[in-house]
Amino acid sequence: MPKRSDLKKILIIGAGPIIISQGCEFDYSGTQACKALREEGFDVVLVNSNPATIMTDPEMAEATYIEPITPQFVEKIIAKERPDALLPTLGGQTGLNTAVALARMGVLEKYNVEMIGASISSINKAEDRDLFRQAMHKINLRIPESGIATTMEEVRVIAEQIGFPIIVRPSFTLGGTGGGVAYNKEDLDLMAKAGLDASLITQVMLEESVLGWKEYELEVMRDHNDNVVIICSIENLDPMGIHTGDSITVAPIQTLTDREYQKMRDASIAIIREIGVDTGGSNVQFAVNPANGEMIVVEMNPRVSRSSALASKATGFPIAKIAAKLAVGYTLDEIANDITGETLAAFEPTLDYCVVKIPRWTFEKFPETEDYLTTSMKSVGETMAIGRTFKEALQKGIRSLETGRHGLGADGKDHTDRFESPPTESEIIKKLATPNSQRLFYLREAMLAGIPMETIYERTMIDPWFLHQIRQIVDLEKKISICGSGKNISDELLLQAKSYGFSDIQLSHLTGRSVEEIHGRRTSAGIRPVYKLVDTCASEFKASTPYYYSTYETECEARISDRKKVMILGGGPNRIGQGIEFDYCCVHASFALREEGVESIMVNSNPETVSTDYDTSDKLYFEPLTQEDVLHIIEKEKPDGVIVQFGGQTPLNLAVPLYKAGVPILGTQPESIDRAEDRELFQSMLKKLKLVQPANGTATNIQGAAAVAEKIGYPVIVRPSYVLGGRAMKIVYNRPELENFTRIAIDASPGHPVLIDKFLEEAVELDVDAISDGTTTIIGGIMEHIEAAGIHSGDSACILPPANVDQEILKEIAAATKAMAKELNVIGLMNVQYAIKGNQLYVIEVNPRASRTVPFVSKATGVPLAKLATKVMLGKSLQDLGLAKEVIPLHVSVKEAVLPFDRFPDVDTLLGPEMKSTGEVMGIDRDFGSAFAKAQLGARQNLPVQGTVFISVHNHDKKLVLTVAEQFYHLGFRIMATHGTSRFLEENNIENVKINKVSIGRPHVVDAITNGEIQLIINTGAGDEPRNDGYLIRRAALKYSIPYTTTIAGAMAICKGITAMKKMEMTVKTIQEYHH
Amino acid sequence: MNRVKALIALEDGRTFPCTSFTGPGEASGEVVFNTSMSGYQEILTDPSYRGQMVTMTYPLIGNYGVNPEDEESDRIQVSAFLVKEYQEFPSNYRSTETLAGYLQKQGILGIENFDTRALTRHIRKAGAMRAVISTIDGNPDSLVEKARAIPGMAGQDLVKEVTTGKPYFWENGKRVWIDSGKPETGTNIWKSKGTRYSVVAFDFGIKYNILRCLEETGCEVLVVPATFSPDTIRSYQPDGIFLSNGPGDPEPLTDVIASVKSLIGCYPIFGICLGNQILGLALGGRTFKLKFGHRGGNQPVKNLKTGKVEITSQNHGFAVDTESMAGKNIELTHINLNDNTFEGFAHKEYPLFAVQYHPEASPGPHDAGYLFNDFREMMKKHRSV
């Protein structure tokens, strides 16, 4: 059946900000869907609050709304656009939940909008645990014994019947928030309560524990002719009990016989039919008892998911694109398989390689949280690696993670290398039994320590097949190190090591030779990787799409063209501080190259991204972003240039080594990058340009640090140099704090100096993005931070154009930016962070590369900075490109950060100099208040228009809070305050209600929050003591979703936002209209 | 484990250095590839692979060991088994033995450690070809010579190597031999005449799972040798006749084709794979050798009657020429969506249908399992007439 002709306009709901469990995979699927629908001639209306997405680029849809994804706002869009249909299955759980809410509210009926892809009843059947259980019983599939509870009473009754351990799963949440494994009644009380709170329908399911069973996933697709195919099968290395998003997963399934696999396949087909997903993709998860093969169904997601993105990258089959086409009426046998070009989408991909996905965690950002993996997802990104063997893929995956490791150990970073003695056997065994982010390395330690494989299996419940694979890697490591100095290492052994995925760095450590020697030794023996194609069909058909991975085999399939070509290095796995924003820039680089007729070659290892879609670039190399792996590709492709300034820190770290290897770097040269990063070179440049930076110094011990602090004056920012992930940065106000923290900083990076900067209290911070062609520099955008200096720019809300900075200073900023761009010979993008205190402009930091704010600025101003920068790097001038001056929009854009604290139960939510946010949203409107309110709503801060504001502030914030309190009072809010703040407000004639601090006695403020008596919280504090009042208040706010701010500046902005919300009905407007 | 250096030599002169994981040996045959990611034990024991050396395109093989339940015949049928990386530590609760042990016990060469994708691509471009693998003779020239000396698949009768020597009943998932040695004639041979559908199955290299499926569908199955007398079959008055899968080229099977021709129209007939080709030839059609065949578990087949797509398990090097079946009073019922080749037909007048692919799966998807029910319904209808 051909496509439907009765539909013209289709609404797609995006997934909103990047949060844990909902990452940039939904930009990938949404972008694919937009492209597929427009290709078919449909008008696409899109809503997504996340500006750092490709899907919100104005070219991707007819009408793009960067507006909050709430039923209220989407209703406004529907009323304005009157789409014929809504496709709800591409925007993750957010998209699905919003669509369900719209249907329940009667909006879809009112405006006659048809839901395509999945119906409300099928969504309910899959999402509501009770309905799902009934559906599974109907088709004779077993699901774990379970019961649904909506009260704590019911929880206790059901728990009696099931027996411990019990899995607690809240209904209708993201990624299992609030879920967990309860081993006793106490655990159960805590988890069930949290689960009921987290559930949108106050419902939890208590479930028989199948901990330790093997876990599997199948990606299924169905068309409206009832054709069903399995796109990919996935086996989790980690057993049940660890969230799939936190599991290392492998495609295809490894340890099932065909008989068992077909049983699972039959079950998935029966499930997609019974649930009634009319068209599109679904993900079905199974658990299998390793002892007898008993199979149970764990869950089903009636939409594209993180796993479907992975499956698309693992197989080459674009699930989201096909899902979009199926939704508008096509059947699988009417859609071509792009990869082969000669076959159809009605088939099941078959792999002739092994794919390993490894999650990327950032526990180091949340030291209060134990590094422990459970049924609640905690990873912030993932990497995927492809190899001809599991061992090769696993080691490639580990080095793709960019955690400083170069493979499964033996890379100079092992416990055994870092400490005097290796971990004891009991330590290892304990770590094996408590799954954590370092578990692969503990498996290695266990094997090196001679712990029997049976014991390792019993502790980890990782299938012995995987354990033996790891064992083979460890055995080979031992064999290589026995070869001693490496002089005796045979070609055969060297080749085997490379085909087991060992990097030259590991081989260097094992043989005591330098990396260069290893490289030379093996290239002279002809041991080089070849590139094979991901072709969906195991080479049964010729593939036309150049999607490659490296492996140590004999035949290379890379097709090298003689066109002019440029390689783009991507950003690797998402992590806090380096996420989708950089992928956005890389994708734009690729688009720009295409526009300029230059062949684009993308290198990246992140399966969630648009950059790793096979049709984004002319060629895709799915490879780790390490020096060795990238140089191999360069040797093969010999690109005319490499772009390193778009992928964040990852490619930047490679700039110097690549440059030294003679690789042409496009745009700003590595010396300039170095000059901006090296403290001394940077200081001398500022001096030369007569620019000022905050007073600073370095110290190697506590006395020295104290001397520096005394000289420049408290407060100061203390941070260690050369640490991973920008860890351990802190503002200290006095000597005891300084001593304490300097000790930590010295420990964090032994042997390196501690950096001490003057902290500019209450300074206004600004972020500037600029573009330069080497002669002309143009400001892309100036953003004023809403929070005062001291909060990481990535966590700070900001506004463009600035609202509270006077023209003279703005001119000064532009001049300083241009001077630095010139001095650093910037060609491409540059980001500068400034602070203003009094009337003095301070330069905080300069980065001659694309920054996190580039997509936001581009969306706010309509200037595609990354694309222009790419063209500038190819030699065009800004004048050629038609960019003559800074674009200062008449509307206001606000960026707000989205924080992952709900995933980390014990972490304080106070913001500081260390970045903690996972994503961002944008609010855009005529005035600041409305734009800010939209940003807050987009970030799921439900700003109230009436009720009670609770105020409790740090002593040095008291004076400032007065204006805020007054304004809220005038807006009709009741003010509630703790004793000190209350007295202060009273003294200043602001009527308020007094409430106890938690430490004083009950009823106290947390009781009031729990009872729903507080609608907004303003609470500032230093956050030093983890269990103080402020901490308890902030955690309670988080738990009950009460909007809160931990800064006075934030409170003022909220006040303006609420004023706007009260004043008028907020309207929606497309990006296309804004930049008309 | 017993690893020895080995060499693969193809008839066109290309060689691949590799390793045997089953100790020394030499093997020859037509080298083909299979794209299934699971089901290696079923593939090894599928008689349709007689005379062939099978390369698995999925690189990791041996993962779940072998077990006594997943056999498709009483022995390994392939002449050698080629993989990228043999897995010596299987993990599965049903596993009773390693793959290497299984191959070694039956004297079949297991080969690993070479670029199986390069070999597959070569076959895709140049076609399936004869080859020799040896751990003994390391001389490429002499091996290539040997490869060229092997008889080709076309024109060879391989069925005689795999068909049963004497008839047997398939009962409760097992073979039950008919003791007397000489088969009796007449309807007394059936134990459940009337309660179950009595089916005579020609064994051209039949897979056990076909027998399991027929039994599950309610049939009492008597398996007879390929050259079994049609007259004797007539004396049994079966409800239906089944024509099995089998190895190689159907054309040289002239006696079999003649027997089948004599039975057409008399009894409901269902054919699978080689059975389909034999029916095609018996009805006056032609068959031809595919360049490199269809072997895998992901082949899309369109059912032209329902318009639906089935993902099917396939294993064939020859196919019925669609054009040659024009004017033969048949309806083309199934086609392959990858290359539009002939995948199944039904006769417009006689109770007869056949498919080129494997509805019994094993290994592979169960999408086409309905065909066994169709066969039962056809017998039911014919019975009532």
Side-chain angles (χ1 to χ4, degrees), chain A residues 566-579:
Chain A
V566 167
M567 182 182 276
I568 305 159
L569 300 183
N574 283 358
R575 63 210 84 164
I576 289 175
Q578 187 171 310

Side-chain angles (χ1 to χ4, degrees), chain A residues 227 254 257-260 262 265-266 333 346 348 350 352 388 391 463 469 532 539-540 555 557, chain B residues 35 38 58 63 69 85 87 91-92 94 115-117 121 124 298-300 302 309 363-364 366-367:
Chain A
N227 294 317
Q254 302 295 331
T257 61
D258 186 66
R259 190 180 284 207
E260 291 146 9
Q262 297 303 339
R265 184 182 179 277
D266 290 346
D333 54 326
E348 299 192 346
T350 188
D352 60 1
R388 283 277 281 166
K391 296 179 277 283
D463 192 278
Q469 299 291 316
K532 298 250 178 221
S539 80
E540 186 177 357
E555 188 175 84
E557 298 171 34
Chain B
T35 63
S38 56
Y58 185 65
N63 305 24
E69 294 128 39
E85 186 188 63
Q87 307 297 308
S91 171
N92 187 281
R94 291 197 297 145
D115 193 339
T116 49
R117 184 172 162 94
R121 276 164 49 88
R124 181 188 82 211
N298 67 343
Q299 296 275 334
K302 188 162 187 165
V309 179
H366 300 156
D367 295 9

Side-chain angles (χ1 to χ4, degrees), chain A residues 704-883:
Chain A
V708 173
E710 240 99 273
K711 192 177 141 215
I712 63 179
Y714 288 100
V716 294
I717 301 179
V718 182
R719 63 196 148 112
S721 50
Y722 301 98
V723 293
L724 285 172
R727 271 190 56 202
M729 202 172 175
K730 198 164 170 73
I731 299 162
V732 299
Y733 289 84
N734 50 47
R735 175 142 186 171
E737 274 180 17
L738 178 90
E739 288 183 5
N740 214 350
F741 194 73
T742 306
R743 201 168 291 126
I744 296 169
I746 287 171
D747 283 351
S749 183
H752 294 296
V754 173
L755 311 178
I756 300 150
D757 292 89
K758 171 74 183 169
F759 174 58
L760 304 170
E761 265 184 301
E762 281 140 42
V764 174
E765 209 168 324
L766 295 119
D767 244 279
V768 177
D769 283 316
I771 181 168
S772 179
D773 60 11
T775 25
T776 311
T777 300
I778 288 170
I779 303 294
I782 302 180
M783 291 148 277
E784 177 190 343
H785 289 198
I786 289 170
E787 281 86 5
I791 290 169
H792 192 283
S793 64
D795 286 351
S796 185
C798 71
I799 166 180
L800 184 158
N804 312 301
V805 183
D806 64 54
Q807 285 304 319
E808 283 311 307
I809 296 263
L810 290 177
K811 274 186 202 155
E812 206 182 315
I813 286 171
T817 307
K818 288 175 184 178
M820 287 189 284
K822 186 153 199 232
E823 185 62 27
L824 290 170
N825 294 315
V826 170
I827 296 174
L829 294 169
M830 175 172 87
N831 170 267
V832 191
Q833 283 166 37
Y834 293 102
I836 307 164
K837 183 158 184 181
N839 257 334
Q840 178 63 50
L841 181 69
Y842 294 91
V843 180
I844 308 289
E845 206 181 307
V846 176
N847 289 301
R849 59 163 166 91
S851 72
R852 200 177 296 111
T853 45
V854 164
F856 170 72
V857 172
S858 296
K859 296 287 151 72
T861 61
V863 179
L865 286 176
K867 250 190 198 177
L868 295 176
T870 308
K871 294 183 182 179
V872 159
M873 285 187 250
L874 291 175
K876 294 232 164 156
S877 72
L878 287 169
Q879 200 183 350
D880 294 342
L881 297 168
L883 187 65

Side-chain angles (χ1 to χ4, degrees), chain A residues 576-595:
Chain A
I576 289 175
Q578 187 171 310
I580 186 172
E581 301 82 3
F582 296 99
D583 197 66
Y584 168 94
C585 292
C586 292
V587 171
H588 272 250
S590 180
F591 291 165
L593 292 172
R594 184 164 297 176
E595 284 172 14

Side-chain angles (χ1 to χ4, degrees), chain A residues 154-176:
Chain A
E154 288 169 14
V155 166
R156 285 176 201 114
V157 173
I158 295 164
E160 257 335 76
Q161 294 160 359
I162 298 175
F164 289 95
I166 290 173
I167 298 194
V168 182
R169 285 178 193 273
S171 307
F172 272 101
T173 65
L174 294 168

Side-chain angles (χ1 to χ4, degrees), chain A residues 449-475:
Chain A
I451 295 171
M453 294 295 271
E454 296 71 36
T455 311
I456 298 175
Y457 173 63
E458 281 161 20
R459 298 291 154 160
T460 59
M461 293 306 281
I462 293 173
D463 192 278
W465 187 83
F466 292 110
L467 295 179
H468 277 288
Q469 299 291 316
I470 293 168
R471 174 70 184 256
Q472 287 177 323
I473 296 175
V474 175
D475 285 348

